[in-house]
Amino acid sequence: MLHGELILVALGGNALMRRGEKGTYQEQYNNIVATSKHLADIVEQGYKLVITHGNGPQVGATLLRHAAGQKLYGIPAFPMDACGAETQGFIGYLIQQGLRTELKRRGLDKYVITVITRVLVDKDDPAFENPTKPVGPFYTREEMERIRQEYPHYVFVEDKARGGWRRVVPSPDPKLIAERVAIRNLVDAGFVVVASGGGGIPIIEEGYVAKGVEAVIDKDLAGERLAELIKADRFIILTDVEGAYINFGKPGQKLLREVTSSEARRYLESGEFGQGSMYPKVLACIRFVEAGGKEAIIAELSQLHQAMKGEAGTHFRLG
Ligand code: ADP
Ligand code: MG
């Protein structure tokens, strides 16, 4: 890899919360401090860096805070798009604090800037007819029915294993990152940019009016769109496994070290990758190299350095 290249890194849930943690402010801050050491290595080597991140547990907690605030104090709960914006601000702040501190410690005079990012989706996306993504708290049947009277358009599914009903929302495909030009300009001005957090805030456009919608965009697919639009050289997804495996969790499990986009598509179609976890990551990597990106990588968070040298992770190339 060449210094001066632009790299977009997508952070998974483990960058902010580890297994067994409650998600206290201090836990999340400490995890970002640890993550920042890996990210600062990239900046120190002279790469331009854009960071995106997930927000599953955080937006879940924010939705609960709003629901509890309404119940206990009559403070009106906000819709999902507003809760998504809150988590982009909160997580962006953590990264600004943690990464800026680490950069300063190394004598690098670079600032980290968070862009509240909206992502345009198609109002006719088939996902709107088929909500699949569970969000927010578990409800009893009575609670669920009460909520349905107030919000008849809400869809709930029963989770028998965990005993309760849960709201599901659509997960539409990201079409366009609204703030792409501002993000690219910030990169060119020398800033490290945090953008499209939690997959971005989904919006639809009706004429010139933009409206937030109650949906969740996959963060890896949105990160890929952003990487494409700002012409990133490399797209790196950091997660809690070494890379994409075939026969995952079965006899004959094998880590894919290097794959072409067409090979990866075959594995995708034969069901090798978990829906909602590894599937969208592999799809995002295929899209990136097919759109002209040099390379896409899926790697374990702490192996970023080795992955960039080609010694760890799954590497995708066009072919
Ligand atoms: P993140 O928060 O990083 O997006 P996810 O849980 O969404 O993490 O995705 C990573 C998970 O994908 C792994 O922990 C693993 O359990 C799961 N997974 C499903 N299929 C595969 C596969 N074929 N290879 C590797 N991991 C897989
Ligand atoms: Mg995920």
Side-chain angles (χ1 to χ4, degrees), residues 255-309:
L255 178 71
L256 296 170
R257 171 68 71 216
E258 285 202 26
V259 275
T260 61
S261 44
S262 51
E263 257 180 289
R265 208 172 266 288
R266 277 201 299 278
Y267 290 133
L268 199 68
E269 283 160 9
S270 63
E272 291 285 349
F273 311 118
Q275 291 289 336
S277 58
M278 194 48 68
Y279 184 100
K281 294 183 201 309
V282 172
L283 178 59
C285 289
I286 294 170
R287 283 182 177 178
F288 182 70
V289 296
E290 285 184 351
K294 286 179 193 157
E295 186 188 31
I297 306 171
I298 299 172
E300 205 272 325
L301 173 60
S302 65
Q303 295 195 317
L304 174 59
H305 187 69
Q306 294 93 304
M308 286 181 65
K309 290 194 293 182

Side-chain angles (χ1 to χ4, degrees), residues 12-13 54 133 218-220 239 276-278 280-281:
K133 179 90 186 156
D218 180 83
K219 72 113 181 16
D220 296 307
T239 183
S277 58
M278 194 48 68
K281 294 183 201 309

Side-chain angles (χ1 to χ4, degrees), residues 24-50:
T24 65
Y25 177 83
Q26 198 59 45
E27 282 167 350
Q28 297 195 57
Y29 182 74
N30 292 346
N31 290 329
I32 279 298
V33 166
T35 299
S36 293
K37 298 199 191 314
H38 305 299
L39 299 174
D41 287 343
I42 301 190
V43 179
E44 193 165 28
Q45 288 166 44
Y47 296 106
K48 299 185 183 101
L49 178 63
V50 173

Side-chain angles (χ1 to χ4, degrees), residues 122-138:
D122 185 348
K123 68 176 186 345
D124 298 321
D125 192 305
F128 286 109
E129 303 297 314
N130 178 31
T132 53
K133 179 90 186 156
V135 289
F138 286 85

